[in-house]
Amino acid sequence: MAEHDEGFVLTTVDSITNFVRRTVAAKAIDLGAPVVNWARKSALWPMTFGLACCAIEMMATGAGRFDIDRFGAGVFRPSPRQSDLIIIAGTVTLKMGPVVRRVYDQMPEPKWVISMGACASTGGPFDSYSTMQGVDRTIPVDVYIPGCPPRPEALLYGLMRLQDIIMREAPSSYIFDSDGTVHRQRSFDGEDQLQIAQANEAARIALAAK
């Protein structure tokens, strides 16, 4: 038996299973990355979640005039366990922060986050004791959409940029290790892979410290 980094005792079967996941399964999945990522980006299921006035623009995006369903993201789900995209549309207060984090944690991998509007991204005009100065202080954000509030066209543009991110991801980055965590590694054109690995390791250490 061997001991995992987090202190869990792994049996020989666990070690063999993890080895197969990281080598054979990961490489097999990455071979079909274009197809897997295309399926993921074309069938995003957003969470039914709105906090303030930006949520009105988000609802307008789902209406017939703009029709977000053209991009495969029109199936708003009532449960985080059925969603893979959460659009933070509105002001996030410090009291609401833990709730946003709980909803995000209940979403299954792979999952993505869009910060819609100035309030969700930076706190907007509310530089006060009760307002969180950016939702990225409690959950990771993939795409920021500026505006107060941003129009539906801006949300559609942000959704298309998220689809570009999904197409560049490695599907094997969502393979679960034995401790239940997901080591999410993205590769972008022109970026140094060593810097990406160092950033992911620093994020893992910070998450373990919590």
Side-chain angles (χ1 to χ4, degrees), residues 17-195:
T17 303
N18 289 335
F19 176 77
V20 172
R21 286 176 176 175
R22 296 190 188 99
T23 55
V24 180
K27 292 180 180 179
I29 292 176
D30 286 342
L31 287 176
V35 177
V36 174
N37 290 337
W38 175 83
R40 285 176 174 173
K41 80 161 189 174
S42 302
L44 291 170
W45 285 8
M47 173 69 191
T48 306
F49 190 80
L51 294 174
C53 43
C54 282
I56 303 299
E57 300 295 325
M58 181 175 64
M59 287 184 273
T61 310
R65 180 178 179 182
F66 299 97
D67 193 14
I68 198 175
D69 208 15
R70 293 177 296 154
F71 301 89
V75 186
F76 284 82
R77 306 305 300 168
S79 169
R81 302 187 187 280
Q82 301 173 357
S83 307
D84 54 10
L85 170 63
I86 182 169
I87 303 173
I88 306 298
T91 310
V92 183
T93 61
L94 294 178
K95 186 176 287 188
M96 192 67 184
V99 179
V100 174
R101 180 70 192 191
R102 181 181 301 175
V103 172
Y104 175 80
D105 289 339
Q106 290 178 348
M107 294 168 58
E109 292 283 353
K111 55 188 174 183
W112 301 276
V113 178
I114 291 179
S115 177
M116 181 179 179
C119 290
S121 300
T122 62
F126 305 109
D127 188 8
S128 63
Y129 70 95
S130 61
T131 304
M132 184 177 295
Q133 302 303 302
V135 72
D136 51 6
R137 300 193 176 192
T138 183
I139 60 175
V141 177
D142 297 286
V143 175
Y144 295 88
I145 301 176
C148 185
R151 285 185 51 81
E153 295 94 337
L155 179 56
L156 292 178
Y157 181 79
L159 179 66
M160 288 188 289
R161 299 291 70 78
L162 177 62
Q163 290 178 331
D164 292 340
I165 292 175
I166 295 174
M167 285 301 295
R168 292 196 295 262
E169 287 184 346
S172 63
S173 61
Y174 296 100
I175 293 180
F176 284 77
D177 286 339
S178 60
D179 58 351
T181 61
V182 176
H183 302 292
R184 188 171 179 176
Q185 297 178 356
R186 293 175 175 166
S187 59
F188 298 93
D189 296 336
E191 287 187 344
D192 188 3
Q193 297 299 320
L194 179 60
Q195 293 180 356

